[in-house]
Amino acid sequence: MIKSINKICIVIFVMSGVITGVTTAHAETKVSLKQPPHSLEQWYKPANKRQVWLHTMFKLRREMQAVRENAENGDKAATLKWIKRLDKHYNKIADMVPEWEKEIKPRLIEELEMFAEKGDTYRLKKTLKMIKRTCDDCHTVYQPLVTATYRSPYYDDIKLKGQDGTIHSFEDNMEQLSRSVNRTLIALDDGHIDIAIQSTKKLGEQLRTLGDSCSGCHKDDAYPQERILGNATQQRLQKLQTKISAGKVKDSQDLMGEIAVTVCARCHNTHKIVSDLRNVLLPVE
Ligand code: HEC
Ligand code: HEC
Ligand code: HEC
C-alpha cells in the first residue's frame, strides 16, 4: 500500500528575488527533507484505525496554548493541569517513534512545571518558546513528507468496473474522460454532431464508472460525491445532449466548459494536486 523507499533527501530551493532600483537582491532558503522512520506507519490509517499521530499533534498544540493562556490569566491550577497533559503527549512522541527520542526535550516540561508552581510567568513563557522550537525543528524537516506519505490517498490500488463489465485502473478512467471531453470539443468545432453526441454519452458512462469509486473512501458521507457528480452534473449532461442535438454549438461549448470546471477541476483541486505532490515527493523505487 505505502510505497517503501530507502533513503531520499529532497532539497527544495526557495528563491525570492527582490528588485530595488537598479540592484537585485536574492535570498535563498534551503530546506532538506528527511524520510520519516518506518515505525511511524503504525500510527496512521490503514495500519491503525485512527490517525493517532496526527491527533496527538493536535492535542499538543491545544495544550501549549492552554498552558500559555492560563499562565497569563494567573490560573495556576488550570496551568498545572494542562502541563500534565502536555507532559504525557510530548513524551508519547518518543514512545510512538523511538527513533525520534533525540528530537524532544522532556526536561523542558519539568522546568515548565517548576515555573508554574512558582508563578514565574516570564520564565514559563520562555520555556514554552524553547519547547516550541523542538516542535518547529522536527516539523521543518519531517512534516511535508509525513503528510504526503500517510495522509494522501493512493489511487493505484483502485479498480473501476466499466459499464461493460471491464476492469480498469483509475488512471485509465482519467485518460478516457480526457479523450471524451476533447473528442466532444473537437467534434463541436468541426460540426460533427453525431460524434459529439456519441462522445458525450461516453463521458456520462465514464463518469458513472468513476462515481462507483467514491464510496470506497467516502464511506459514510454521500455529500462529496453529490457535490461533484450529483444532480447538477446530471442536469448539465442532459442539457448538453439537447443542445448538441439542436445544433447549438456555442451553448454546447459553454456547457462543456462548465462541466470541466465543476466536475474535473473541482475534483482535481482536492484530489489530483495532493496526488501529484505525493508522486513527486515519493518517487517509485
Ligand atoms: C475523484 C475526482 C476526479 C474527477 C471527478 C476527475 N478526476 Fe482526473 N484525476 C483525479 C486524480 C486523483 C488524478 C491523479 C491520479 C493519480 O495520480 O494516480 C487525476 C488525473 C487525471 C489526468 C492525468 C492522467 C495521467 O495520466 O496522469 C487527466 C488527463 C484527468 N485526470 C482528466 C480528467 C477529466 C477530463 C475529468 C472530467 C471529465 C476528470 N479528470 C475528473 C481525480 C479526478
Ligand atoms: C519528532 C517530530 C515532531 C515533534 C517533536 C513535534 N511534531 Fe508535530 N508533527 C510532526 C509530524 C511528522 C507532523 C505531520 C503529521 C501529518 O501531517 O500527518 C506533525 C504535525 C503537527 C501538527 C498538525 C499540523 C496540521 O495542521 O496539519 C500540529 C498542530 C503539531 N504537529 C503540533 C506540534 C507541537 C505543538 C509540538 C511540540 C509541542 C510538536 N508538534 C512536536 C512531528 C513532530
Ligand atoms: C482514494 C480515496 C478517495 C477516493 C477514491 C475519492 N476521494 Fe474524495 N477525498 C478523499 C480524501 C482523503 C479527501 C480529503 C478528506 C475529506 O474531506 O474527507 C477527499 C475530499 C473530497 C472532497 C472535498 C471535501 C468535501 O466533503 O466536499 C470532495 C468534494 C470529494 N472528495 C469528492 C470525491 C468524488 C466525487 C469521488 C469519486 C469520483 C472521490 N472523492 C473519490 C479521498 C478519496
Side-chain angles (χ1 to χ4, degrees), residues 155 170-171 174-175 178 210 263-264 267-268 272 275 279:
Y155 298 91
F170 198 84
E171 211 177 316
M174 286 303 141
E175 266 157 30
S178 169
L210 177 66
V263 177
C264 317
C267 199
H268 286 174
K272 187 168 180 295
S275 170
N279 293 342

Side-chain angles (χ1 to χ4, degrees), residues 154-156 170-179 181-182 203 207 210 213-214 228-229 259-260 262-268 270-273 275-276 279:
Y154 188 46
Y155 298 91
D156 289 9
F170 198 84
E171 211 177 316
D172 289 344
N173 178 271
M174 286 303 141
E175 266 157 30
Q176 290 169 0
L177 284 173
S178 169
R179 241 174 284 135
V181 166
N182 281 318
L203 179 66
L207 285 175
L210 177 66
S213 76
C214 312
I228 289 176
L229 297 173
I259 291 168
T262 56
V263 177
C264 317
R266 198 169 276 169
C267 199
H268 286 174
T270 47
H271 294 76
K272 187 168 180 295
I273 292 174
S275 170
D276 289 349
N279 293 342

Side-chain angles (χ1 to χ4, degrees), residues 3-21:
K3 289 182 231 172
S4 65
I5 320 118
N6 295 333
K7 224 186 260 162
I8 57 167
C9 181
I10 293 163
V11 181
I12 297 174
F13 291 95
V14 185
M15 302 279 295
S16 69
V18 185
I19 301 167
T20 40

Side-chain angles (χ1 to χ4, degrees), residues 236-248 252:
R236 276 201 185 91
L237 282 166
Q238 260 166 26
K239 204 166 151 197
L240 181 64
Q241 297 271 331
T242 319
K243 293 286 181 191
I244 296 176
S245 304
K248 301 234 187 265
S252 306

Side-chain angles (χ1 to χ4, degrees), residues 245-257:
S245 304
K248 301 234 187 265
V249 172
K250 176 74 174 60
D251 288 353
S252 306
Q253 285 166 334
D254 290 349
L255 275 164
M256 283 301 291

